[in-house]
Amino acid sequence: MRQQESGCKGCREEYKVTEEQIQRVLSSPMFSEERCVPNDQYEARLNACSSCPKLQSGTTCTLCGCIVQITAKLIEKRCPYPGQDRWAAATAAV
């Protein structure tokens, strides 16, 4: 029996999430205006993620496994960084 690879598929080198895939998800009805943060807040969240040591390959949060460009768009989501919400700090200035 072949040993199963460990880690999420987003953590494996052979799997890459493309910008086209992300945009396709963001254009779905789930991302209606009332469920999403304003664009300036979204950009602040993405900037906080881009400087986070837990961001892998520019897309995946290694703390929760989400694709940050998707999760950061939703109002009800919070940064999973232990002990501090990096999004809250970033968007306080917005």
Side-chain angles (χ1 to χ4, degrees), residues 10 16-19 22 42 46 49-62 66-70:
K16 297 288 182 200
V17 177
T18 66
E19 184 63 28
I22 291 170
Y42 177 60
L46 291 179
C49 291
S50 70
S51 65
C52 182
K54 299 298 183 179
L55 182 66
Q56 181 174 353
S57 302
T59 57
T60 307
C61 174
T62 59
C66 78
I67 303 299
V68 297
Q69 291 88 340
I70 293 170

Side-chain angles (χ1 to χ4, degrees), residues 10-11 24 31 44 47 49 54 61 74 80-81 83-84 87 91:
C11 298
R24 189 171 52 241
F31 292 89
N47 285 336
C49 291
K54 299 298 183 179
C61 174
L74 296 169
Y81 200 88
Q84 71 181 54
W87 291 353
T91 58

